[in-house]
Amino acid sequence: MEFNGLLNTSLDLNANPLRILDEEALLPKQESDIKAAVKQERGALMEEINRVSAENKKLKEMLSVMCEDYTDLRNQLMEYTSKNLGLDDHDQKTAPRKRKSESSTGNIVDRTNNANGGPCESSSSDEDSFKKPKEEQVKAKISRVHVRTEASDRTLIVKDGYQWRKYGQKVTRDNPSPRAYFKCSFAPTCPVKKKVQRSIEDQSIVVATYEGEHNHPHPSANSSSNKRLTLGNVPCSSSLSSSCGPTTITLDLTKQKPISPQETRHPLSGKVEASELQQYLVEQMASTLTKDPSFKAALAAAVSGKFIQQK
DNA sequence: CGAGTTTGACCAGCGC
DNA sequence: GCGCTGGTCAAACTCG
């Protein structure tokens, strides 16, 4: 995947000495020592340009390596996902019985036939296969969505367009953040449940786990709001973050930038245009980097360090 | 007043 | 069998 074509990785750090030189060239200077000093400064600045250019090139290379790694990982995920779609039954038969929980491995069970299809649904798991004999044959589809919210926002609200009724909240053992339980209240017969809990690793990320399939149309199918998180009948799950667990998707709700309708589909749904995906990812990466104060600070320190070295 | 939320109690599965 | 834990229930409460 070629991201470089989409990215202008040049860094304008206001370090362009030519502007200064142009101004200086306009000044009438007759003393030869001044000219010599200017010459010397020009040489130093040209050297600085070379250094910055080299650094820029290095950063470009790093970025392209990152992009290649991402592409590799993505391809591996796609292969893994497509392979596993047919392996669920076998895995379940050979697996040991386990407690009903996704906490230890992060795995989430999908015991149905993946009727949602496509690379979005995935994640076979061994657990849960022998327990709950009274459980219905139609076991709920389970998918997981990671949603990035403002860190200061302590509410456990994931706006996915559906209407939810909270029926419980519990503090779990392995996460100090409470877990909220929701039922779909849009249709009385809708069996879908949702669990929402903040990520233990990153409190700004809310993890929403969906169980079941809505038996009614999306309530906001015609409205533009809430479309962003709606990835099909049940919010689509796909992830690069977990190679063997449930597929997940991380969405950044802290950005208010309007998005095009194409972006409402998950990039890995297989139907989205590759160029759109590229652009989306590049925007996400750029946004993340520019928003990161530590990245900015490190960059500023590196650049200022270079200037100080010159003096 | 109805719908939604909160929260303590209860239940069932699991490990020891 | 007991204790721990996650999931659910339902009465009390809040809010529009």
Side-chain angles (χ1 to χ4, degrees), chain A residues 131-177:
Chain A
K131 63 178 191 277
K132 286 192 182 176
K134 60 182 174 185
E135 219 171 27
E136 297 83 7
Q137 289 79 11
V138 184
K139 166 71 177 162
K141 274 183 200 307
I142 300 180
S143 60
R144 186 184 280 181
V145 173
H146 289 192
V147 180
R148 183 178 292 279
T149 64
E150 296 291 349
S152 57
D153 183 9
R154 306 311 299 168
T155 61
L156 288 171
I157 294 173
V158 175
K159 292 175 185 169
D160 52 15
Y162 290 97
Q163 197 173 338
W164 300 98
R165 182 179 184 279
K166 189 177 182 180
Y167 66 91
Q169 180 165 315
K170 195 93 178 172
V171 175
T172 56
R173 197 170 62 100
D174 48 357
N175 191 337
S177 302

Side-chain angles (χ1 to χ4, degrees), chain A residues 7-287:
Chain A
L7 261 186
N8 178 9
T9 53
S10 304
L11 297 172
D12 182 6
L13 300 170
N14 290 327
N16 185 357
L18 295 178
R19 289 190 292 240
I20 303 167
L21 292 176
D22 289 345
E23 288 166 10
E24 286 181 350
L26 296 175
L27 297 174
K29 294 189 173 62
Q30 295 176 357
E31 292 94 345
S32 60
D33 55 339
I34 291 179
K35 281 184 181 174
V38 168
K39 236 181 197 176
Q40 194 177 348
E41 194 177 353
R42 178 187 294 185
L45 289 170
M46 291 304 283
E47 196 179 333
E48 181 59 27
I49 286 180
N50 291 335
R51 283 175 191 273
V52 171
S53 298
E55 203 164 335
N56 193 6
K57 193 179 170 187
K58 218 181 271 183
L59 287 167
K60 266 188 188 175
E61 286 168 4
M62 285 169 63
L63 181 60
S64 69
V65 168
M66 275 176 60
C67 292
E68 282 171 16
D69 287 350
Y70 165 75
T71 307
D72 287 347
L73 283 169
R74 183 173 171 272
N75 290 337
Q76 284 175 28
L77 173 74
M78 299 293 263
E79 280 177 30
Y80 176 81
T81 307
S82 58
K83 272 183 195 170
N84 272 346
L85 284 176
L87 296 178
D88 290 10
D89 288 347
H90 177 261
D91 287 350
Q92 286 168 14
K93 279 170 193 162
T94 56
R97 178 191 286 228
K98 269 183 160 182
R99 182 190 177 89
K100 177 189 177 187
S101 163
E102 72 267 27
S103 60
S104 57
T105 61
N107 285 355
I108 287 192
V109 184
D110 181 358
R111 304 206 308 182
T112 62
N113 55 2
N114 281 306
N116 255 10
C120 283
E121 279 299 331
S122 72
S123 130
S124 63
S125 164
D126 45 17
E127 63 183 7
D128 206 43
S129 54
F130 289 93
K131 63 178 191 277
K132 286 192 182 176
K134 60 182 174 185
E135 219 171 27
E136 297 83 7
Q137 289 79 11
V138 184
K139 166 71 177 162
K141 274 183 200 307
I142 300 180
S143 60
R144 186 184 280 181
V145 173
H146 289 192
V147 180
R148 183 178 292 279
T149 64
E150 296 291 349
S152 57
D153 183 9
R154 306 311 299 168
T155 61
L156 288 171
I157 294 173
V158 175
K159 292 175 185 169
D160 52 15
Y162 290 97
Q163 197 173 338
W164 300 98
R165 182 179 184 279
K166 189 177 182 180
Y167 66 91
Q169 180 165 315
K170 195 93 178 172
V171 175
T172 56
R173 197 170 62 100
D174 48 357
N175 191 337
S177 302
R179 176 184 294 171
Y181 299 89
F182 296 89
K183 280 176 183 170
C184 181
S185 63
F186 184 76
T189 58
C190 183
V192 179
K193 290 176 192 170
K194 176 170 82 167
K195 288 181 281 190
V196 181
Q197 189 172 31
R198 294 205 167 269
S199 169
I200 192 168
E201 291 143 0
D202 187 347
Q203 295 284 302
S204 66
I205 292 178
V206 170
V207 181
T209 305
Y210 294 84
E211 295 180 28
E213 232 179 332
H214 294 282
N215 56 10
H216 56 86
H218 193 280
S220 62
N222 293 324
S223 70
S224 57
S225 64
N226 296 325
K227 273 189 175 177
R228 187 168 189 178
L229 282 178
T230 306
L231 302 165
N233 205 15
V234 170
C236 176
S237 59
S238 267
S239 175
L240 302 173
S241 63
S242 155
S243 60
C244 57
T247 54
T248 58
I249 177 170
T250 301
L251 297 157
D252 194 343
L253 291 186
T254 61
K255 296 180 186 57
Q256 297 302 316
K257 177 192 156 218
I259 57 168
S260 63
Q262 288 96 330
E263 286 173 298
T264 61
R265 284 189 305 202
H266 187 263
L268 297 182
S269 64
K271 307 239 175 171
V272 71
E273 294 292 331
S275 59
E276 291 168 6
L277 171 61
Q278 287 174 14
Q279 197 163 353
Y280 175 81
L281 291 169
V282 166
E283 283 172 8
Q284 289 287 315
M285 287 172 67
S287 169

